[in-house]
Amino acid sequence: MYSNNLLDAYKKAQNYVQDKQIGHDLNLSPQKISKIRKGVRQLTDNEALFLADGANIEPEIALIGCHADHNDNPKIKKLWEDIAKKLNSHGLRALSMSCGGFAMWIGTPKEAAAQCAL
């Protein structure tokens, strides 16, 4: 479960010893953190981005990992995990370059720069 990995990475980066410290940073009760750990509750995109930033993890990888957690369908879950592995192995530079190429394809160069934030 990627959410647990993200929580652990944030906890380690912040030198925390208890999950309730993470909960305080996220403005979540210890019970909600426990539910995330058990897979009963999922991290929101904003929570995942906050944790990724604090753990120095690329936000795209954090979002993809959390979206893999959200799926009960094993086939879809595997696809999200495969996407994350490919991005990790190729680096996010390839994602950024493909975004720029796609933006160039659908608009003018000026529009492309505005449409591709990566």
Side-chain angles (χ1 to χ4, degrees):
M1 185 182 290
Y2 186 81
S3 296
N4 281 328
N5 296 339
L6 191 53
L7 288 167
D8 290 338
Y10 180 81
K11 189 176 181 179
K12 182 177 180 181
Q14 301 301 315
N15 294 316
Y16 288 164
V17 294
Q18 296 181 331
D19 282 350
K20 69 179 182 180
Q21 294 168 295
I22 301 169
H24 182 266
D25 291 354
L26 288 171
N27 199 27
L28 296 175
S29 69
Q31 293 82 7
K32 285 186 180 176
I33 297 294
S34 177
K35 286 182 179 183
I36 292 168
R37 290 272 190 204
K38 294 176 184 174
V40 174
R41 181 191 183 276
Q42 302 297 325
L43 288 169
T44 66
D45 289 347
N46 287 334
E47 292 164 351
L49 291 176
F50 177 85
L51 294 171
D53 184 50
N56 200 27
I57 294 173
E58 299 198 33
E60 296 87 351
I61 299 301
L63 288 177
I64 289 170
C66 287
H67 280 271
D69 282 353
H70 292 191
N71 275 287
D72 293 330
N73 182 322
K75 186 175 181 178
I76 294 172
K77 187 178 191 107
K78 173 104 172 70
L79 288 170
W80 277 114
E81 290 168 353
D82 290 346
I83 291 168
K85 286 177 189 172
K86 285 179 186 176
L87 287 177
N88 268 335
S89 68
H90 291 54
L92 291 177
R93 184 180 187 141
L95 176 66
S96 183
M97 289 172 52
S98 63
C99 175
F102 182 70
M104 290 287 285
W105 178 69
I106 62 172
T108 66
K110 186 175 182 179
E111 291 171 339
Q115 291 173 0
C116 187
L118 294 175

